[in-house]
Amino acid sequence: MLTRSSDRTLTEQLAERFAERIRSRLLPAGARLPSVRECARQQGVSPHTVVSAYDQLLAQGLVEARPQRGFFVRDYLQKTPAAQDAPGQSAMHTIASGPSPLGGIGVRVSGSHINATALIRGMFHQASSLPQPGTGVFPPDWLEEARFMPAAVRKITASRSLQDGSLSYGEPMGDAALRQALSRRLTAINVHAQPEQIMTTVGATQALDIVSRTLLKAGDPVMVEEPGWSVEFARLDALGMRVLPVPRGPEGPDLAVMQRYCEAHAPKLFVSVSVLHNPTGYSLSPGSAHQVLQLAQRHDFHIVEDDTYGHIAPDHATRLAALDGLRRTIYVNGFAKILAPNWRVGYLAAPPALVERLLDTKLLSTLTTPSLLEKALALCIDQGQLRRHADRMRQRLAQARARSVQLALEAGCSFASEPAGLFGWVETGVDTDMLAQRMLDEGYLIAPGALFHATRQPCTLMRINFTTTQDVAFWKVWARVMKERAGPR
């Protein structure tokens, strides 16, 4: 908190607090600062102190004042107008020319790269030692239970594999033993892929990137579910693609919107999280899945199925790749969520006709992937350790989710979707962008709903991680901050 005993004035302290958050992108471009009166009340200072602090931020070029609207964060790294208009480099791409299938107005992906970096930087930014509601991973102490992993690494490095794996680039497609293990694992969820259809990557994110760079060129239209993972919006935007947001509902994507996009724009690709969708927790229904595949057949587009959360989902969950037989679908998964974020082992399974093209793209980006970690992971899969670990994580998550949901409801929140998986999509009733800054003052990093949309706009939803919100301490702070927002009655 601000302190009067510091050798720096309250104005300087307040200005530096906002400046640090802006530079670290925890306050992303376009975000609105609290009003002068609201900020003064929150920080326990005079309105004059806030005005002076905001003036300092204006002088530093970090914020801009908009008449009758307040102070907003500037994109201080913004390209020049000429650079912004260059093909494939724009941070804003028109999605529809003329009437939009989403309601008659043009939709733009504006600043999505900033939304994404705000979310990613939050993954690395430790707001405090408190459990963080906005994180996208399991807590470290949960992952530490996978003690079999270090043992597998020790076993691999104690063998001839250490020398062999260190003195060569390894196999371009990835370690053969791991690809065989992955083929067997996919068969268990009815996705039938031969080892030669499977390619390892540096995490699931690189797998998604390889697919985009292989199948698309700048200007191509791509359908992406909304709300969704903002990194995907931003990544496609940075490649120069035209992003077409498709509303995601409990059964699946909005098929009517997809149909209109297909007729108007002939998209080349659809990116979907079928199972335990982030952030809603929805899972695709069989009926919706069949209709999506029929659309893909009629309008000749591919589907990328991101099954990042499949490890904590039932094996019988509906997956497009299982129904499609990997004809138009490319299946993507990884192990960062369930095992170790820093191992960065992911993979994709693709139709045979696409494998060589995808491999060419991988070779141009990373040559190959770390075979020693892949060999260790193959050992963990073959010995059943990964499966048993995932079972334990599912059981523990179910208990945490029940506690978190109860606390959220008691705190006056509601759920916009049925709680499932790792995340909850929570209705708060207030602008969560503004709320995020106030909670950051308390040491908690939350994930505002605006981060999960292609266009940043005020949103009353937020995503919570069930594993880090099962402690009553967070909800007590939440209730106090919400009461402060309401003010005296």
Side-chain angles (χ1 to χ4, degrees):
M1 298 299 292
L2 306 181
T3 173
R4 298 179 189 278
S5 61
S6 172
D7 56 358
R8 303 169 67 235
T9 68
L10 293 174
T11 294
E12 291 171 337
Q13 293 177 58
L14 184 58
E16 182 54 34
R17 171 177 293 181
F18 281 113
E20 190 276 332
R21 291 178 184 176
I22 292 170
R23 293 190 181 102
S24 67
R25 296 301 177 98
L26 292 175
L27 252 177
R32 182 165 64 91
L33 270 58
S35 69
V36 170
R37 180 176 299 178
E38 177 71 10
C39 186
R41 184 176 65 83
Q42 289 176 358
Q43 304 298 336
V45 297
S46 70
H48 174 75
T49 296
V50 177
V51 170
S52 298
Y54 284 3
D55 280 344
Q56 289 189 18
L57 296 173
L58 281 166
Q60 296 172 39
L62 298 177
V63 302
E64 61 183 4
R66 299 179 187 174
Q68 309 301 318
R69 296 186 63 195
F71 293 87
F72 291 80
V73 177
R74 291 184 58 199
D75 182 4
Y76 67 97
L77 297 178
Q78 187 175 14
K79 300 181 181 73
T80 64
Q84 285 183 333
D85 292 337
Q89 295 183 11
S90 176
M92 181 183 292
H93 297 295
T94 303
I95 288 177
S97 55
S100 163
L102 292 180
I105 58 174
V107 183
R108 290 175 180 265
V109 177
S110 176
S112 63
H113 64 296
I114 299 168
N115 286 4
T117 53
L119 188 63
I120 294 172
R121 287 170 186 267
M123 291 164 54
F124 298 103
H125 177 86
Q126 188 65 25
S128 69
S129 60
L130 300 168
Q132 296 303 315
T135 185
V137 298
F138 285 102
D141 60 316
W142 286 42
L143 297 178
E144 285 174 359
E145 292 186 359
R147 297 184 180 90
F148 54 86
M149 289 168 44
V153 172
R154 287 193 296 270
K155 184 171 183 178
I156 294 298
T157 55
S159 68
R160 178 77 185 180
S161 297
L162 176 60
Q163 183 174 349
D164 293 344
S166 300
L167 299 180
S168 67
Y169 281 112
E171 300 176 63
M173 288 286 287
D175 180 69
L178 177 58
R179 289 188 289 116
Q180 290 168 0
L182 292 173
S183 177
R184 291 189 292 272
R185 184 185 180 281
L186 288 175
T187 298
I189 58 172
N190 295 314
V191 176
H192 299 284
Q194 297 301 312
E196 54 268 25
Q197 292 178 258
I198 298 171
M199 184 173 73
T200 64
T201 58
V202 183
T205 302
Q206 193 206 17
L208 294 168
D209 198 56
I210 287 173
V211 173
S212 301
R213 292 177 184 275
T214 302
L215 300 183
L216 304 171
K217 62 182 184 299
D220 280 347
V222 182
M223 295 182 289
V224 184
E225 293 170 325
E226 185 181 55
W229 192 35
S230 61
V231 173
E232 188 63 14
F233 290 128
R235 196 182 54 72
L236 292 168
D237 182 60
L239 291 174
M241 312 307 170
R242 299 172 63 206
V243 178
L244 307 174
V246 178
R248 175 64 187 256
E251 299 295 310
D254 189 317
L255 295 163
V257 169
M258 290 184 69
Q259 176 67 41
R260 291 197 288 271
Y261 278 147
C262 290
E263 294 169 353
H265 305 293
K268 304 295 184 184
L269 193 68
F270 172 48
V271 183
S272 174
V273 180
S274 301
V275 180
L276 298 180
H277 173 261
N278 176 18
T280 64
Y282 293 141
S283 289
L284 190 65
S285 72
S288 182
H290 280 292
Q291 292 183 71
V292 169
L293 292 172
Q294 288 172 354
L295 272 176
Q297 179 66 31
R298 286 199 303 270
H299 296 279
D300 192 26
F301 62 83
H302 283 95
I303 301 168
V304 181
E305 184 169 43
D306 180 359
D307 199 24
T308 297
Y309 305 97
H311 297 286
I312 56 174
D315 287 346
H316 63 265
T318 300
R319 291 173 171 86
L320 290 163
L323 297 175
D324 175 59
L326 287 178
R327 289 188 292 270
R328 289 192 170 272
T329 306
I330 302 167
Y331 178 91
V332 169
N333 206 335
F335 298 89
K337 289 289 188 290
I338 195 70
L339 283 178
N342 202 30
W343 270 34
R344 311 305 305 145
V345 179
Y347 66 98
L348 61 83
L354 291 179
V355 170
E356 286 301 316
R357 292 175 60 194
L358 293 166
L359 177 58
D360 285 346
T361 305
K362 175 185 174 179
L363 291 172
L364 289 172
S365 59
T366 59
L367 295 182
T368 185
T369 41
S371 62
L372 292 175
L373 291 180
E374 292 180 356
K375 290 179 183 296
L377 180 56
L379 189 62
C380 295
I381 295 174
D382 284 340
Q383 294 182 346
Q385 293 163 321
L386 176 63
R387 177 182 53 78
R388 292 190 292 273
H389 171 68
D391 289 343
R392 290 191 296 269
M393 295 288 273
R394 279 194 292 266
Q395 293 170 8
R396 191 172 179 182
L397 175 58
Q399 296 171 349
R401 184 167 55 243
R403 287 193 291 268
S404 180
V405 168
Q406 180 181 352
L407 290 170
L409 296 175
E410 290 173 354
C413 295
S414 60
F415 285 85
S417 58
E418 186 69 22
L422 181 59
F423 302 122
W425 196 223
V426 177
E427 175 60 62
T428 69
V430 300
D431 183 349
T432 48
D433 261 347
M434 301 295 291
L435 189 65
Q437 295 308 311
R438 183 65 190 91
M439 291 302 293
L440 200 55
D441 291 338
E442 302 286 343
Y444 288 105
L445 187 69
I446 66 172
L451 289 174
F452 302 92
H453 288 78
T455 55
R456 193 175 189 94
Q457 53 190 324
C459 182
T460 59
L461 292 161
M462 71 172 178
R463 188 196 75 180
I464 63 171
N465 183 320
F466 288 126
T467 68
T468 54
T469 52
Q470 55 174 322
D471 187 343
V472 70
F474 164 72
W475 294 105
K476 284 183 176 179
V477 172
W478 169 273
R480 173 167 57 78
V481 169
M482 292 292 284
K483 184 176 181 181
E484 290 172 358
R485 280 189 59 86
R489 296 185 179 275

